[in-house]
Amino acid sequence: MPYAAPPRAPSLAGGLMPAVILVRPQLAENIGMCARAMANFALSDLRLVAPRDGWPQKARLKKGAYAASSGAHAILDRARLFDTVEAAVADLNRVWATTARERGQGKRVVAPRQAMAEAASAAAAGGRHGILFGPERTGLESDEIALADAIVTFPVDPGFPSLNLSQAVLLMGYEWFMAARDGELPFAEPVFSPPARRDSVIAFFRALEAELESAGHYRDTEKRALMRRNLRNFFHRGGMTEQDVRTLRGVLVSLVKGRRGAG
Amino acid sequence: MPYAAPPRAPSLAGGLMPAVILVRPQLAENIGMCARAMANFALSDLRLVAPRDGWPQKARLKKGAYAASSGAHAILDRARLFDTVEAAVADLNRVWATTARERGQGKRVVAPRQAMAEAASAAAAGGRHGILFGPERTGLESDEIALADAIVTFPVDPGFPSLNLSQAVLLMGYEWFMAARDGELPFAEPVFSPPARRDSVIAFFRALEAELESAGHYRDTEKRALMRRNLRNFFHRGGMTEQDVRTLRGVLVSLVKGRRGAG
């Protein structure tokens, strides 16, 4: 898989991650895709409020939640079913309602980044947050939003604002992971060579400039200093390693030898 | 749609947004889903390098790119086709390669947030970035990664790292939009009432405390000051509006009248 990395560290599972609460979700496939998005970002507390097609579904159905979860079965196995939003949020300390439009409730409205930063702070202090996501077609009802402490909405182009349910879960999970893990990446590229010492770099510049001098490169002697500075600045820009300097010295030698041979 | 908001501001279209470059994408549906994710975040420069099933596809096919784009047809209409990655990136100033695993090229590896912050800075200075996304199954080849200035990888749970193509595009688009629009949200909730003036708040506290005094609430006079302070702090915590103060004064009056009537 292109965007897959081998396991490298234990998951956050068991920590005080936010609960993902799907309110009256319509399609089982969407429940599965939400579970997959949760798994990407180490969320595992899935709560379902009155899913239209019931729960648990007959597991591993061809087109059901399990098939759509791309292997996030453990999250679906542990999903909990509730009759009401009130029951689903009972044990939580703070509840966020996701909505794409203004709802006239005078509540605080924040972006996913702010909400999940607060969730990560709360988790560090022993508090647990939950995020409400409404049904695919209609979104959360006003009485359900009234149960939340604040509203989360997504910064999207007003000309094309439609996010689907699992994309909304994905973005919240991403911001949770960024906040809780401080943006830790799954890998770094190996360092092949240490950054060059300044004396290596300067020795290369001097060798290069001497060759250019002897080749008659600096015809306009008034501009010599400026031309040197520009060239040095070019080589500085990328940040040379010791290996880069060795490579460049080799290139210089070859070019000069070639010219002498040809000359 | 639950996560939809009415149009409110012009799009960023036409600005120097990053190009989304899909390299040898396999499924036309995925091209459509990527276009949709781009549209959410005001990206419109889609470039296709040698799509497996050809391009342009017969438009509006039932299961093709247009159907999967949820209406982001304008992006698909303007998508450009290239034979090679080199040709696709020719006019760009910097190229990012997305990959989920270490590729042994000693390149800088950054998170989407860092990359798109740099793209936004570059755009402000007249520079244009591009982002390479590899084929669904295999990801970018090493020679394609070698064409990029740096690597972007996604902060995901190493135990469940698989993101699909359109999710990867979605996260990059989201970070672009956050960086370029400074996280502007599509709406704020209306403010029904201004924050309370301090004299209103204190007058309410005094009225409440006087009633509690006359009701014999402070039996332990030594603790009176502490009890008052705790109660005042509770009411302060939520940040009262003028309307809240009026509401609470009404509640206080009703409770006192009810008690007196019952007594």
Side-chain angles (χ1 to χ4, degrees):
Chain A
M1 312 234 214
Y3 302 101
R8 222 172 125 253
S11 295
L12 277 172
L16 288 175
M17 82 271 289
V20 170
I21 305 154
L22 306 184
V23 180
R24 292 174 280 113
Q26 300 175 281
L27 297 174
E29 289 93 322
N30 286 339
I31 298 173
M33 289 167 72
C34 289
R36 175 188 181 167
M38 290 171 64
N40 287 141
F41 299 114
L43 293 172
S44 62
D45 184 355
L46 175 60
R47 305 178 184 199
L48 306 173
V49 178
R52 189 188 66 185
D53 296 340
W55 195 265
Q57 292 205 302
K58 211 178 156 198
R60 278 81 177 167
L61 279 180
K62 260 272 184 249
K63 291 212 92 190
Y66 280 80
S69 75
S70 294
H73 294 181
I75 291 173
L76 295 173
D77 288 341
R78 286 185 308 201
R80 280 178 286 167
L81 181 67
F82 297 90
D83 290 331
T84 64
V85 175
E86 273 189 60
V89 302
D91 61 314
L92 303 175
N93 304 111
R94 189 190 281 187
V95 176
W96 302 93
T98 57
T99 171
R101 56 184 199 280
E102 193 256 292
R103 304 299 286 261
Q105 297 202 14
K107 279 188 197 294
R108 190 163 75 109
V109 178
V110 302
R113 187 163 303 168
Q114 176 65 27
M116 291 300 93
E118 293 180 27
S121 298
R128 191 190 290 273
H129 286 202
I131 314 162
L132 300 176
F133 298 87
E136 292 88 332
R137 189 97 56 102
T138 54
L140 292 166
E141 290 177 0
S142 292
D143 282 346
E144 292 160 347
I145 289 177
L147 288 169
D149 297 87
I151 283 174
V152 174
T153 196
F154 298 87
V156 287
D157 185 353
F160 197 94
S162 162
L163 288 180
N164 71 28
L165 184 56
S166 69
Q167 287 173 325
V169 171
L170 186 85
L171 291 177
M172 293 299 285
Y174 170 73
E175 287 290 4
W176 159 255
F177 199 78
M178 287 293 286
R181 287 275 186 99
D182 203 21
E184 183 193 328
L185 296 177
F187 68 88
E189 289 277 284
V191 175
F192 295 126
S193 174
R197 282 170 54 99
R198 306 315 301 164
D199 54 5
S200 306
V201 173
I202 289 167
F204 164 68
F205 287 158
R206 294 214 170 117
L208 174 62
E209 289 157 4
E211 290 298 347
L212 290 172
E213 191 76 54
S214 81
H217 180 72
Y218 302 114
R219 283 180 208 168
D220 184 342
T221 50
E222 281 186 21
K223 291 197 180 155
R224 182 193 280 119
L226 179 64
M227 293 171 76
R228 280 187 177 171
R229 210 156 49 230
N230 287 346
L231 195 62
R232 285 184 174 210
N233 279 339
F234 166 77
F235 281 109
H236 273 309
R237 212 171 299 144
M240 285 191 278
T241 65
E242 284 292 344
Q243 181 56 54
D244 292 332
V245 173
R246 283 194 296 272
T247 300
L248 289 167
R249 291 198 74 130
V251 166
L252 177 64
V253 167
S254 297
L255 292 174
V256 169
K257 272 170 83 173
R259 190 183 78 215
R260 283 184 191 143
Chain B
M1 310 236 210
Y3 302 102
R8 219 169 127 259
S11 295
L12 277 173
L16 288 174
M17 82 273 289
V20 169
I21 305 154
L22 305 184
V23 181
R24 292 174 279 110
Q26 300 175 282
L27 298 174
E29 289 93 321
N30 285 340
I31 298 173
M33 288 169 70
C34 289
R36 174 188 182 165
M38 291 171 64
N40 286 140
F41 299 114
L43 293 172
S44 60
D45 184 354
L46 175 61
R47 306 178 182 200
L48 305 173
V49 178
R52 189 188 66 184
D53 296 339
W55 194 265
Q57 291 207 302
K58 210 176 158 202
R60 280 79 177 168
L61 279 180
K62 259 274 185 249
K63 290 212 93 187
Y66 280 82
S69 75
S70 294
H73 295 180
I75 292 175
L76 295 172
D77 288 341
R78 288 185 306 202
R80 281 178 286 168
L81 181 67
F82 298 89
D83 290 333
T84 64
V85 174
E86 273 187 60
V89 302
D91 62 315
L92 302 175
N93 303 110
R94 188 189 280 186
V95 176
W96 301 93
T98 56
T99 171
R101 54 186 200 280
E102 193 255 292
R103 304 298 286 260
Q105 296 201 16
K107 278 189 197 295
R108 190 165 75 108
V109 177
V110 302
R113 187 162 303 169
Q114 176 66 27
M116 291 300 94
E118 293 180 27
S121 297
R128 193 190 289 273
H129 287 201
I131 314 162
L132 301 176
F133 297 88
E136 291 88 330
R137 190 100 54 106
T138 54
L140 292 165
E141 289 177 1
S142 291
D143 282 348
E144 292 160 346
I145 289 178
L147 288 169
D149 298 86
I151 284 174
V152 174
T153 196
F154 297 87
V156 286
D157 185 352
F160 196 96
S162 162
L163 287 180
N164 70 29
L165 184 55
S166 69
Q167 288 173 325
V169 170
L170 185 85
L171 291 178
M172 293 299 283
Y174 170 73
E175 287 290 5
W176 159 256
F177 199 78
M178 287 293 285
R181 288 274 186 100
D182 202 21
E184 184 193 326
L185 296 178
F187 68 88
E189 288 277 285
V191 175
F192 296 126
S193 173
R197 284 170 53 100
R198 306 316 300 165
D199 52 6
S200 307
V201 173
I202 289 168
F204 164 68
F205 287 159
R206 291 212 173 121
L208 174 63
E209 289 157 4
E211 291 297 347
L212 290 172
E213 190 76 54
S214 81
H217 181 72
Y218 302 115
R219 280 179 210 169
D220 184 341
T221 51
E222 280 184 24
K223 290 194 181 156
R224 180 193 282 120
L226 179 65
M227 290 169 78
R228 280 186 177 172
R229 209 155 52 230
N230 286 347
L231 195 62
R232 285 184 173 211
N233 279 340
F234 165 76
F235 280 109
H236 273 308
R237 212 172 298 145
M240 284 191 277
T241 64
E242 286 292 346
Q243 182 57 54
D244 292 332
V245 173
R246 283 195 295 274
T247 301
L248 288 168
R249 291 197 74 130
V251 166
L252 178 64
V253 167
S254 297
L255 292 174
V256 169
K257 272 169 87 174
R259 190 186 77 215
R260 285 187 186 142

